[in-house]
Amino acid sequence: MEFGNEISNCILDRIRDFSYVLEKTNIPWCKEFVPSFRAILFYYDANKINFEEAKKELSKLEKGVHKIKITPPRIVHLPIVFGGKYGPDLEKVAKVHNLTTRQVIDFFIQEDYRVCFIAFAPGLPYNAGLPKQLETPRLKTPRLKNLAGSVGIGGKQVCIHPIDSPGGYNIIGRTPIKFYDFKKINQGNFKNFCEVVFFRIGDILKFEPVEEGEFKSIYQAVLQDQYEVKIEY
Amino acid sequence: LNIKKEGSKLGKILIKKPGLLTTIQDNGRRGYGNYGIAESGAMDIFSLKSGNALVGNSLNEAALEITLLGPEIEFQNHSIIAITGGNLSPSLNRKSIEMWRTYSIYKGDVLSFGSCREGCRSYLCFSGGINVPKVLGSKSTYIRGKIGGNNGNKLEANYTLLIGEPIIKKKYFIRRMKKEFIPTYQKREVVRVVLGPQDDYFTDMGIHTFLSSDFIASSRIDRWAYRFEGPVIEHSKKGADIISDGIALGAVQVPANGNPIVFMSDRPTTGGYSKIATVISVDVSKIAQIKTGDHVQFKKIDIKEAQKIFKDREQFFLNLVK
């Protein structure tokens, strides 16, 4: 189901509100749904409904969605180390835009980012808010491995890899924060998904540059569960 | 947790050698795509369900998915098994055994595998199933996400796996899949696709290249995706990149390099390169049996045909358990 072809707050709100309703509605033929910037993917059971009927039913449901009242977003401060082995594509991004790496970093950290949805890999936030100066096409051939914590630019989008995984984004830096708790999931030791997946739709992200040394010490603290991410409510 | 209660006798198997990539897989984990958690599950659903039908399990029960180089397994209890899918030369106590039929297994029996004769993945189904807890509703192993099956890991040597008590009681009862239903795996497969959702990101020439050429499976094939190589599929002026959206099972994505990627069980839930088509779900099982160097050709059908094929396949499974 498509809602235009742009990243805009208006479309993001519509998709967020519809997703909220979908979470609470039992649709017998709907096996799963995956919201994104401008579309929602539905998996339907073709034994129960056909494509055309599913489309009709969904658009009817969407028309009845009212604007939901949302709680004010959390502001999350994320440490990030730029360039070098942590951001192998930083220099390329600078070159593409005729900027110095310092300027790329400055442009990047002066903006706030909105977590639009969680997708791709477990707990991975897709974020909007990248300044125009830094919009960069994805890699021509996606990498087979990006390390957990890698922060990348793909077009207008910014993502943070929660686990080691393939991906086609330009990786400019890395955050030491862990935001996916697979141990708790395996143990079944949680009540709500926000205990195992850190980011929430609507979060506002502020990136705060750190040097390699600080990155390493935070990384160690995170491993020992002794680091608390700075969050404003 | 669905650990069986006392009274039902669980069996044990010992993994003596793990093989290349042996994982516990059922029909997958649904409903968590909006947290970025992959569906996982058997790559070749046809073989999983057929094997389960043979040993009397519910069709979606977990089995061992075995890739190219099989494991060596010692049974510590009586069991009834069936091996379906690609033929990796299974043998029981060093004597070669058939695919697509049940065998009674006794304490001390050793099951092993040899060279890959056909296909890429075997499914080893145990009557009574595999006894691991369900994680987010499924026993499937999601290796990248580190969850499910054996805590998200492939099987390692010396691992002991609990299996259910055989459901079929008669010791010498042999069930075989009818010959006409057993798939043959070719070095060149035709898989059916429905075009879209971003076929407008390609030139007519690009679509033509996609539908008329042979593509070769590269060495970069795994449970995430099959990356094919062949003539470059030409994008239109819109380019290769899109605003990221959902990736369905079998989605065929074409990055700027013009080579198609077919997404499989452990795929990302979303992606940002244009998708020229989707392999119909029934034919995803065919892709799962392709290995490096095999050829594939994509054949276009419409969505109504795809739905008919899906329903026929579902009916086939219903008949199988009758």
Side-chain angles (χ1 to χ4, degrees), chain A residues 6 23 32 36-38 43-44 46-47 50-51 118-123 126 138-141 157 163 166 168 180 182 186 193, chain B residues 30-31 33-36 142 144-148 241-245 247-248 255 257 267-270 272-273 307 311 314:
Chain A
E6 58 178 342
E23 285 262 18
E32 182 165 334
S36 50
F37 289 108
R38 45 155 289 277
Y43 289 88
Y44 65 93
N47 277 323
N50 68 37
F51 179 69
I118 308 294
F120 190 82
Y126 271 91
R138 292 178 185 78
L139 306 181
K140 287 206 167 103
T141 303
Q157 307 164 194
I163 54 173
Y180 165 60
F182 57 89
N186 277 322
F193 242 84
Chain B
R30 272 172 207 86
N34 54 335
Y35 295 102
Y142 174 23
R144 276 207 182 78
K146 299 188 175 112
I147 57 169
D241 292 9
I242 58 165
I243 297 173
S244 294
D245 65 7
I247 291 187
N257 67 17
R267 68 192 176 281
T269 64
T270 51
Y273 297 108
Q307 286 178 339
K311 280 189 182 162
E314 292 294 295

Short mmCIF file of all heavy atoms in Angstrom, two decimals, chain A residues 6 23 32 36-38 43-44 46-47 50-51 118-123 126 138-141 157 163 166 168 180 182 186 193, chain B residues 30-31 33-36 142 144-148 241-245 247-248 255 257 267-270 272-273 307 311 314:
data_model
loop_
_atom_site.label_atom_id
_atom_site.label_comp_id
_atom_site.label_asym_id
_atom_site.label_seq_id
_atom_site.Cartn_x
_atom_site.Cartn_y
_atom_site.Cartn_z
N GLU A 6 7.48 10.33 -1.40
CA GLU A 6 8.42 11.27 -0.78
C GLU A 6 8.51 10.96 0.72
O GLU A 6 7.66 10.25 1.26
CB GLU A 6 7.93 12.71 -0.98
CG GLU A 6 6.53 12.90 -0.41
CD GLU A 6 6.01 14.33 -0.54
OE1 GLU A 6 6.81 15.24 -0.77
OE2 GLU A 6 4.80 14.51 -0.38
N GLU A 23 -1.99 -2.53 14.57
CA GLU A 23 -1.51 -3.29 15.74
C GLU A 23 -2.68 -3.76 16.59
O GLU A 23 -2.62 -4.80 17.21
CB GLU A 23 -0.60 -2.42 16.62
CG GLU A 23 0.78 -2.18 16.06
CD GLU A 23 1.84 -3.11 16.64
OE1 GLU A 23 1.47 -4.15 17.20
OE2 GLU A 23 3.03 -2.78 16.49
N GLU A 32 1.24 -10.36 8.48
CA GLU A 32 2.30 -9.48 8.94
C GLU A 32 2.21 -8.18 8.14
O GLU A 32 1.77 -8.19 7.00
CB GLU A 32 3.66 -10.16 8.69
CG GLU A 32 4.86 -9.40 9.15
CD GLU A 32 6.12 -10.27 9.21
OE1 GLU A 32 6.00 -11.50 9.37
OE2 GLU A 32 7.22 -9.73 9.08
N SER A 36 6.94 1.49 6.26
CA SER A 36 8.19 2.17 5.92
C SER A 36 7.88 3.64 5.67
O SER A 36 6.83 4.11 6.07
CB SER A 36 8.87 1.48 4.74
OG SER A 36 7.97 1.29 3.67
N PHE A 37 8.77 4.38 5.01
CA PHE A 37 8.59 5.83 4.86
C PHE A 37 7.28 6.22 4.16
O PHE A 37 6.63 7.19 4.50
CB PHE A 37 9.73 6.43 4.02
CG PHE A 37 11.04 6.46 4.73
CD1 PHE A 37 12.06 5.60 4.35
CD2 PHE A 37 11.29 7.35 5.75
CE1 PHE A 37 13.29 5.63 4.97
CE2 PHE A 37 12.52 7.40 6.39
CZ PHE A 37 13.54 6.54 6.00
N ARG A 38 6.94 5.45 3.12
CA ARG A 38 5.84 5.89 2.26
C ARG A 38 4.98 4.71 1.81
O ARG A 38 4.22 4.80 0.85
CB ARG A 38 6.40 6.60 1.03
CG ARG A 38 7.58 5.82 0.42
CD ARG A 38 7.80 6.09 -1.02
NE ARG A 38 6.76 5.53 -1.85
CZ ARG A 38 6.72 4.25 -2.26
NH1 ARG A 38 7.65 3.38 -1.91
NH2 ARG A 38 5.74 3.85 -3.04
N TYR A 43 1.51 -8.92 4.21
CA TYR A 43 1.54 -10.33 3.81
C TYR A 43 0.13 -10.88 4.01
O TYR A 43 -0.35 -10.89 5.14
CB TYR A 43 2.53 -11.10 4.67
CG TYR A 43 3.98 -10.78 4.39
CD1 TYR A 43 4.61 -9.73 5.03
CD2 TYR A 43 4.70 -11.54 3.48
CE1 TYR A 43 5.95 -9.44 4.77
CE2 TYR A 43 6.03 -11.25 3.21
CZ TYR A 43 6.65 -10.21 3.86
OH TYR A 43 7.97 -9.93 3.60
N TYR A 44 -0.53 -11.28 2.93
CA TYR A 44 -1.88 -11.79 3.09
C TYR A 44 -1.91 -13.28 2.83
O TYR A 44 -1.05 -13.83 2.15
CB TYR A 44 -2.86 -11.05 2.19
CG TYR A 44 -2.64 -11.22 0.69
CD1 TYR A 44 -3.33 -12.22 -0.01
CD2 TYR A 44 -1.79 -10.39 -0.01
CE1 TYR A 44 -3.16 -12.37 -1.39
CE2 TYR A 44 -1.60 -10.54 -1.37
CZ TYR A 44 -2.28 -11.53 -2.06
OH TYR A 44 -2.10 -11.68 -3.40
N ALA A 46 -3.41 -15.96 0.88
CA ALA A 46 -4.15 -16.07 -0.38
C ALA A 46 -5.23 -17.15 -0.32
O ALA A 46 -6.07 -17.24 -1.21
CB ALA A 46 -3.20 -16.33 -1.54
N ASN A 47 -5.23 -17.95 0.75
CA ASN A 47 -6.33 -18.90 0.93
C ASN A 47 -7.59 -18.20 1.42
O ASN A 47 -8.69 -18.70 1.27
CB ASN A 47 -5.95 -19.96 1.98
CG ASN A 47 -5.13 -21.07 1.38
OD1 ASN A 47 -5.38 -21.47 0.24
ND2 ASN A 47 -4.15 -21.54 2.11
N ASN A 50 -8.21 -12.53 -1.87
CA ASN A 50 -7.33 -12.28 -3.03
C ASN A 50 -6.79 -10.86 -2.98
O ASN A 50 -7.19 -10.04 -2.16
CB ASN A 50 -8.03 -12.61 -4.36
CG ASN A 50 -9.16 -11.65 -4.68
OD1 ASN A 50 -9.08 -10.45 -4.42
ND2 ASN A 50 -10.23 -12.18 -5.26
N PHE A 51 -5.86 -10.59 -3.86
CA PHE A 51 -5.13 -9.32 -3.87
C PHE A 51 -6.07 -8.11 -3.94
O PHE A 51 -5.95 -7.17 -3.15
CB PHE A 51 -4.16 -9.34 -5.06
CG PHE A 51 -3.35 -8.09 -5.24
CD1 PHE A 51 -2.37 -7.76 -4.32
CD2 PHE A 51 -3.56 -7.25 -6.33
CE1 PHE A 51 -1.61 -6.61 -4.48
CE2 PHE A 51 -2.81 -6.10 -6.49
CZ PHE A 51 -1.84 -5.77 -5.57
N ILE A 118 11.05 1.00 12.32
CA ILE A 118 12.09 0.03 12.65
C ILE A 118 11.99 -1.08 11.61
O ILE A 118 10.93 -1.68 11.45
CB ILE A 118 11.84 -0.57 14.06
CG1 ILE A 118 11.65 0.52 15.11
CG2 ILE A 118 12.95 -1.54 14.45
CD1 ILE A 118 12.85 1.37 15.40
N ALA A 119 13.07 -1.36 10.91
CA ALA A 119 12.99 -2.38 9.86
C ALA A 119 14.38 -2.78 9.42
O ALA A 119 15.38 -2.35 10.00
CB ALA A 119 12.18 -1.87 8.68
N PHE A 120 14.43 -3.60 8.39
CA PHE A 120 15.64 -4.15 7.77
C PHE A 120 16.24 -5.25 8.63
O PHE A 120 16.25 -6.40 8.24
CB PHE A 120 16.68 -3.05 7.52
CG PHE A 120 17.85 -3.51 6.68
CD1 PHE A 120 17.75 -3.56 5.29
CD2 PHE A 120 19.05 -3.91 7.25
CE1 PHE A 120 18.82 -3.99 4.50
CE2 PHE A 120 20.12 -4.34 6.47
CZ PHE A 120 20.00 -4.37 5.10
N ALA A 121 16.78 -4.89 9.81
CA ALA A 121 17.36 -5.85 10.74
C ALA A 121 16.75 -5.57 12.12
O ALA A 121 16.19 -4.50 12.33
CB ALA A 121 18.88 -5.69 10.78
N PRO A 122 16.86 -6.52 13.07
CA PRO A 122 16.17 -6.34 14.35
C PRO A 122 16.51 -5.03 15.05
O PRO A 122 17.66 -4.80 15.40
CB PRO A 122 16.66 -7.54 15.18
CG PRO A 122 17.11 -8.55 14.19
CD PRO A 122 17.61 -7.79 13.01
N GLY A 123 15.51 -4.18 15.23
CA GLY A 123 15.69 -2.94 15.97
C GLY A 123 16.36 -1.81 15.20
O GLY A 123 16.70 -0.79 15.79
N TYR A 126 15.23 3.54 10.96
CA TYR A 126 15.34 4.32 9.73
C TYR A 126 15.02 5.76 10.10
O TYR A 126 13.96 6.03 10.67
CB TYR A 126 14.31 3.85 8.70
CG TYR A 126 14.77 2.75 7.80
CD1 TYR A 126 14.56 1.42 8.13
CD2 TYR A 126 15.37 3.03 6.56
CE1 TYR A 126 14.95 0.39 7.28
CE2 TYR A 126 15.76 2.00 5.70
CZ TYR A 126 15.55 0.69 6.06
OH TYR A 126 15.93 -0.31 5.21
N ARG A 138 23.11 5.26 -2.66
CA ARG A 138 23.62 4.04 -2.03
C ARG A 138 24.78 3.47 -2.85
O ARG A 138 24.97 3.83 -4.01
CB ARG A 138 22.50 3.00 -1.96
CG ARG A 138 21.38 3.38 -1.02
CD ARG A 138 20.29 2.32 -1.05
NE ARG A 138 19.15 2.70 -0.24
CZ ARG A 138 18.22 3.56 -0.61
NH1 ARG A 138 18.29 4.15 -1.79
NH2 ARG A 138 17.21 3.85 0.19
N LEU A 139 25.52 2.56 -2.25
CA LEU A 139 26.62 1.89 -2.95
C LEU A 139 26.06 1.17 -4.18
O LEU A 139 24.95 0.68 -4.15
CB LEU A 139 27.30 0.87 -2.03
CG LEU A 139 27.81 1.37 -0.68
CD1 LEU A 139 28.47 0.22 0.08
CD2 LEU A 139 28.78 2.52 -0.84
N LYS A 140 26.86 1.11 -5.24
CA LYS A 140 26.40 0.42 -6.45
C LYS A 140 26.23 -1.06 -6.18
O LYS A 140 25.33 -1.71 -6.71
CB LYS A 140 27.41 0.65 -7.59
CG LYS A 140 27.35 2.07 -8.14
CD LYS A 140 27.84 2.11 -9.58
CE LYS A 140 27.50 3.43 -10.23
NZ LYS A 140 28.67 4.33 -10.31
N THR A 141 27.12 -1.62 -5.39
CA THR A 141 27.00 -3.02 -4.97
C THR A 141 27.01 -3.03 -3.46
O THR A 141 27.97 -2.57 -2.84
CB THR A 141 28.20 -3.84 -5.50
OG1 THR A 141 28.24 -3.72 -6.92
CG2 THR A 141 28.07 -5.31 -5.12
N GLN A 157 18.19 9.04 3.59
CA GLN A 157 17.93 8.28 4.80
C GLN A 157 19.21 8.01 5.61
O GLN A 157 20.28 7.90 5.05
CB GLN A 157 17.30 6.93 4.43
CG GLN A 157 16.09 7.08 3.54
CD GLN A 157 15.65 5.82 2.83
OE1 GLN A 157 14.86 5.87 1.92
NE2 GLN A 157 16.17 4.66 3.25
N ILE A 163 23.06 -5.01 14.19
CA ILE A 163 23.83 -6.26 14.18
C ILE A 163 24.71 -6.24 12.94
O ILE A 163 24.48 -5.43 12.03
CB ILE A 163 22.89 -7.50 14.11
CG1 ILE A 163 21.93 -7.38 12.90
CG2 ILE A 163 22.11 -7.68 15.39
CD1 ILE A 163 21.09 -8.62 12.64
N PRO A 166 24.65 -7.33 5.93
CA PRO A 166 24.89 -6.68 4.65
C PRO A 166 24.17 -5.34 4.58
O PRO A 166 23.29 -5.06 5.41
CB PRO A 166 24.29 -7.66 3.63
CG PRO A 166 24.13 -8.95 4.34
CD PRO A 166 23.90 -8.59 5.77
N GLY A 168 23.75 -1.46 1.83
CA GLY A 168 24.28 -0.63 0.75
C GLY A 168 24.47 0.84 1.12
O GLY A 168 24.57 1.68 0.25
N TYR A 180 19.72 -3.93 20.55
CA TYR A 180 18.92 -5.12 20.27
C TYR A 180 19.36 -6.20 21.23
O TYR A 180 20.54 -6.54 21.25
CB TYR A 180 19.13 -5.54 18.82
CG TYR A 180 18.65 -6.93 18.47
CD1 TYR A 180 17.31 -7.27 18.62
CD2 TYR A 180 19.53 -7.89 18.00
CE1 TYR A 180 16.87 -8.54 18.30
CE2 TYR A 180 19.10 -9.16 17.67
CZ TYR A 180 17.77 -9.48 17.83
OH TYR A 180 17.34 -10.74 17.51
N PHE A 182 19.15 -9.78 21.98
CA PHE A 182 18.72 -11.12 21.53
C PHE A 182 18.68 -12.12 22.68
O PHE A 182 17.93 -13.07 22.64
CB PHE A 182 19.63 -11.61 20.40
CG PHE A 182 21.09 -11.66 20.75
CD1 PHE A 182 21.62 -12.80 21.33
CD2 PHE A 182 21.92 -10.57 20.52
CE1 PHE A 182 22.96 -12.86 21.65
CE2 PHE A 182 23.27 -10.62 20.85
CZ PHE A 182 23.78 -11.76 21.43
N ASN A 186 15.66 -14.77 23.37
CA ASN A 186 15.82 -16.22 23.44
C ASN A 186 15.28 -16.79 24.75
O ASN A 186 14.74 -17.88 24.79
CB ASN A 186 17.29 -16.61 23.28
CG ASN A 186 17.69 -16.69 21.83
OD1 ASN A 186 16.91 -17.13 20.97
ND2 ASN A 186 18.88 -16.24 21.52
N PHE A 193 7.99 -5.25 23.77
CA PHE A 193 9.09 -5.24 22.81
C PHE A 193 10.10 -4.13 23.07
O PHE A 193 11.26 -4.23 22.69
CB PHE A 193 8.55 -5.17 21.38
CG PHE A 193 8.96 -6.37 20.59
CD1 PHE A 193 8.23 -7.54 20.67
CD2 PHE A 193 10.09 -6.36 19.81
CE1 PHE A 193 8.63 -8.68 20.00
CE2 PHE A 193 10.50 -7.49 19.12
CZ PHE A 193 9.76 -8.65 19.21
N ARG B 30 6.33 -15.20 12.05
CA ARG B 30 5.59 -14.11 11.42
C ARG B 30 5.08 -13.10 12.42
O ARG B 30 4.81 -13.43 13.56
CB ARG B 30 4.43 -14.68 10.61
CG ARG B 30 4.90 -14.99 9.23
CD ARG B 30 3.91 -15.72 8.36
NE ARG B 30 4.70 -16.47 7.41
CZ ARG B 30 5.20 -17.66 7.61
NH1 ARG B 30 4.95 -18.29 8.74
NH2 ARG B 30 5.95 -18.25 6.71
N GLY B 31 4.97 -11.86 11.98
CA GLY B 31 4.36 -10.83 12.81
C GLY B 31 5.35 -9.88 13.45
O GLY B 31 4.96 -9.01 14.22
N GLY B 33 7.94 -8.28 11.56
CA GLY B 33 8.60 -7.49 10.52
C GLY B 33 8.68 -6.03 10.88
O GLY B 33 9.62 -5.33 10.48
N ASN B 34 7.71 -5.53 11.63
CA ASN B 34 7.74 -4.12 12.01
C ASN B 34 8.71 -3.84 13.16
O ASN B 34 8.82 -2.70 13.61
CB ASN B 34 6.32 -3.59 12.31
CG ASN B 34 5.60 -4.41 13.34
OD1 ASN B 34 5.89 -5.59 13.53
ND2 ASN B 34 4.67 -3.79 14.04
N TYR B 35 9.43 -4.88 13.63
CA TYR B 35 10.57 -4.67 14.53
C TYR B 35 11.88 -5.02 13.82
O TYR B 35 12.92 -5.10 14.46
CB TYR B 35 10.42 -5.51 15.79
CG TYR B 35 9.24 -5.10 16.64
CD1 TYR B 35 8.06 -5.83 16.63
CD2 TYR B 35 9.29 -3.94 17.42
CE1 TYR B 35 6.97 -5.45 17.39
CE2 TYR B 35 8.21 -3.56 18.18
CZ TYR B 35 7.05 -4.31 18.16
OH TYR B 35 5.98 -3.92 18.91
N GLY B 36 11.78 -5.29 12.54
CA GLY B 36 12.97 -5.61 11.76
C GLY B 36 13.40 -7.07 11.88
O GLY B 36 14.49 -7.42 11.44
N TYR B 142 17.43 -17.92 13.39
CA TYR B 142 17.70 -16.69 12.65
C TYR B 142 19.13 -16.31 13.03
O TYR B 142 19.34 -15.69 14.06
CB TYR B 142 16.67 -15.65 13.07
CG TYR B 142 16.83 -14.25 12.53
CD1 TYR B 142 17.53 -13.96 11.36
CD2 TYR B 142 16.22 -13.18 13.20
CE1 TYR B 142 17.64 -12.66 10.88
CE2 TYR B 142 16.31 -11.88 12.73
CZ TYR B 142 17.04 -11.63 11.58
OH TYR B 142 17.14 -10.34 11.12
N ARG B 144 21.62 -14.33 11.85
CA ARG B 144 22.05 -12.92 11.99
C ARG B 144 21.42 -12.27 13.20
O ARG B 144 22.05 -11.49 13.89
CB ARG B 144 21.71 -12.14 10.72
CG ARG B 144 22.77 -12.30 9.68
CD ARG B 144 22.82 -11.11 8.75
NE ARG B 144 23.83 -11.36 7.75
CZ ARG B 144 23.66 -12.14 6.69
NH1 ARG B 144 22.51 -12.73 6.48
NH2 ARG B 144 24.64 -12.33 5.83
N GLY B 145 20.14 -12.57 13.44
CA GLY B 145 19.43 -11.98 14.58
C GLY B 145 19.72 -12.70 15.89
O GLY B 145 19.24 -12.29 16.94
N LYS B 146 20.49 -13.80 15.81
CA LYS B 146 20.92 -14.57 16.99
C LYS B 146 19.76 -15.08 17.83
O LYS B 146 19.86 -15.16 19.06
CB LYS B 146 21.87 -13.74 17.86
CG LYS B 146 23.15 -13.33 17.13
CD LYS B 146 24.14 -12.68 18.09
CE LYS B 146 25.47 -12.38 17.42
NZ LYS B 146 25.77 -10.97 17.24
N ILE B 147 18.65 -15.43 17.20
CA ILE B 147 17.53 -15.96 17.99
C ILE B 147 16.97 -17.25 17.36
O ILE B 147 17.10 -17.50 16.17
CB ILE B 147 16.37 -14.94 18.14
CG1 ILE B 147 15.84 -14.46 16.78
CG2 ILE B 147 16.78 -13.76 19.00
CD1 ILE B 147 14.54 -13.67 16.88
N GLY B 148 16.33 -18.05 18.23
CA GLY B 148 15.58 -19.22 17.78
C GLY B 148 16.43 -20.45 17.55
O GLY B 148 17.65 -20.38 17.43
N ASP B 241 17.95 3.58 -6.97
CA ASP B 241 17.58 3.78 -5.56
C ASP B 241 16.13 4.23 -5.43
O ASP B 241 15.63 5.03 -6.21
CB ASP B 241 18.48 4.85 -4.93
CG ASP B 241 19.93 4.40 -4.80
OD1 ASP B 241 20.27 3.34 -5.37
OD2 ASP B 241 20.71 5.10 -4.14
N ILE B 242 15.48 3.72 -4.40
CA ILE B 242 14.12 4.16 -4.09
C ILE B 242 14.10 4.61 -2.63
O ILE B 242 15.07 4.39 -1.91
CB ILE B 242 13.09 3.01 -4.26
CG1 ILE B 242 13.48 1.81 -3.36
CG2 ILE B 242 13.00 2.58 -5.71
CD1 ILE B 242 12.38 0.80 -3.16
N ILE B 243 13.00 5.21 -2.21
CA ILE B 243 12.80 5.40 -0.78
C ILE B 243 12.52 4.00 -0.23
O ILE B 243 11.68 3.29 -0.77
CB ILE B 243 11.60 6.35 -0.52
CG1 ILE B 243 11.90 7.73 -1.11
CG2 ILE B 243 11.29 6.42 0.97
CD1 ILE B 243 10.72 8.69 -1.05
N SER B 244 13.23 3.60 0.81
CA SER B 244 13.13 2.21 1.29
C SER B 244 11.70 1.79 1.56
O SER B 244 10.92 2.55 2.13
CB SER B 244 13.94 2.05 2.57
OG SER B 244 15.30 2.24 2.29
N ASP B 245 11.36 0.56 1.15
CA ASP B 245 10.07 -0.01 1.53
C ASP B 245 10.20 -1.52 1.74
O ASP B 245 11.29 -2.08 1.62
CB ASP B 245 8.97 0.38 0.54
CG ASP B 245 9.17 -0.19 -0.85
OD1 ASP B 245 10.09 -1.01 -1.03
OD2 ASP B 245 8.40 0.17 -1.75
N ILE B 247 10.30 -5.57 1.85
CA ILE B 247 10.82 -6.60 0.94
C ILE B 247 10.11 -7.91 1.24
O ILE B 247 10.26 -8.49 2.31
CB ILE B 247 12.35 -6.77 1.12
CG1 ILE B 247 13.05 -5.52 0.60
CG2 ILE B 247 12.84 -8.01 0.39
CD1 ILE B 247 14.55 -5.63 0.55
N ALA B 248 9.35 -8.38 0.25
CA ALA B 248 8.61 -9.63 0.41
C ALA B 248 9.52 -10.81 0.11
O ALA B 248 10.56 -10.66 -0.54
CB ALA B 248 7.41 -9.64 -0.53
N PRO B 255 20.24 -3.55 -7.67
CA PRO B 255 21.03 -2.36 -7.33
C PRO B 255 21.61 -1.73 -8.59
O PRO B 255 21.42 -2.27 -9.70
CB PRO B 255 22.14 -2.89 -6.42
CG PRO B 255 21.87 -4.32 -6.18
CD PRO B 255 20.90 -4.78 -7.22
N ASN B 257 24.36 -1.82 -9.93
CA ASN B 257 25.22 -2.66 -10.77
C ASN B 257 24.46 -3.50 -11.78
O ASN B 257 25.05 -4.18 -12.62
CB ASN B 257 26.15 -3.54 -9.89
CG ASN B 257 25.38 -4.59 -9.10
OD1 ASN B 257 24.22 -4.90 -9.39
ND2 ASN B 257 26.02 -5.14 -8.08
N ARG B 267 15.88 -12.66 4.96
CA ARG B 267 16.05 -11.34 4.30
C ARG B 267 15.79 -10.18 5.25
O ARG B 267 15.12 -10.33 6.27
CB ARG B 267 15.07 -11.25 3.12
CG ARG B 267 13.62 -11.17 3.58
CD ARG B 267 12.64 -11.36 2.45
NE ARG B 267 11.29 -11.38 2.95
CZ ARG B 267 10.73 -12.44 3.53
NH1 ARG B 267 11.41 -13.55 3.71
NH2 ARG B 267 9.49 -12.38 3.96
N PRO B 268 16.30 -8.99 4.85
CA PRO B 268 15.93 -7.78 5.59
C PRO B 268 14.44 -7.53 5.37
O PRO B 268 13.89 -7.92 4.34
CB PRO B 268 16.77 -6.70 4.92
CG PRO B 268 17.03 -7.22 3.53
CD PRO B 268 17.13 -8.70 3.67
N THR B 269 13.79 -6.86 6.31
CA THR B 269 12.35 -6.64 6.14
C THR B 269 12.07 -5.48 5.18
O THR B 269 10.98 -5.37 4.66
CB THR B 269 11.64 -6.38 7.49
OG1 THR B 269 12.15 -5.17 8.05
CG2 THR B 269 11.88 -7.51 8.47
N THR B 270 13.08 -4.61 4.96
CA THR B 270 12.92 -3.51 4.01
C THR B 270 14.21 -3.35 3.22
O THR B 270 15.24 -3.92 3.58
CB THR B 270 12.68 -2.17 4.74
OG1 THR B 270 13.70 -2.01 5.72
CG2 THR B 270 11.32 -2.11 5.40
N GLY B 272 16.25 -0.59 -0.07
CA GLY B 272 16.16 0.67 -0.80
C GLY B 272 16.60 0.65 -2.25
O GLY B 272 16.85 1.72 -2.83
N TYR B 273 16.75 -0.54 -2.83
CA TYR B 273 16.99 -0.60 -4.28
C TYR B 273 15.69 -1.04 -4.95
O TYR B 273 14.87 -1.75 -4.37
CB TYR B 273 18.09 -1.60 -4.61
CG TYR B 273 19.46 -1.27 -4.04
CD1 TYR B 273 19.98 -2.01 -2.99
CD2 TYR B 273 20.23 -0.23 -4.56
CE1 TYR B 273 21.24 -1.72 -2.47
CE2 TYR B 273 21.49 0.06 -4.04
CZ TYR B 273 21.99 -0.69 -3.00
OH TYR B 273 23.23 -0.41 -2.48
N GLN B 307 -1.81 -16.63 -7.73
CA GLN B 307 -2.70 -17.02 -6.64
C GLN B 307 -3.29 -18.41 -6.86
O GLN B 307 -3.43 -19.19 -5.92
CB GLN B 307 -3.83 -15.99 -6.48
CG GLN B 307 -3.30 -14.71 -5.85
CD GLN B 307 -4.34 -13.63 -5.71
OE1 GLN B 307 -5.36 -13.64 -6.39
NE2 GLN B 307 -4.08 -12.69 -4.85
N LYS B 311 -2.85 -21.63 -4.45
CA LYS B 311 -3.99 -22.39 -3.90
C LYS B 311 -3.88 -23.87 -4.26
O LYS B 311 -4.19 -24.74 -3.44
CB LYS B 311 -5.30 -21.81 -4.43
CG LYS B 311 -5.72 -20.58 -3.67
CD LYS B 311 -7.11 -20.17 -4.07
CE LYS B 311 -7.51 -18.91 -3.35
NZ LYS B 311 -8.65 -18.25 -4.02
N GLU B 314 -1.45 -25.41 -1.94
CA GLU B 314 -2.03 -25.61 -0.61
C GLU B 314 -2.94 -26.83 -0.60
O GLU B 314 -2.95 -27.62 0.34
CB GLU B 314 -2.81 -24.36 -0.18
CG GLU B 314 -1.93 -23.14 0.09
CD GLU B 314 -1.02 -23.33 1.30
OE1 GLU B 314 -1.54 -23.45 2.42
OE2 GLU B 314 0.21 -23.36 1.10
#
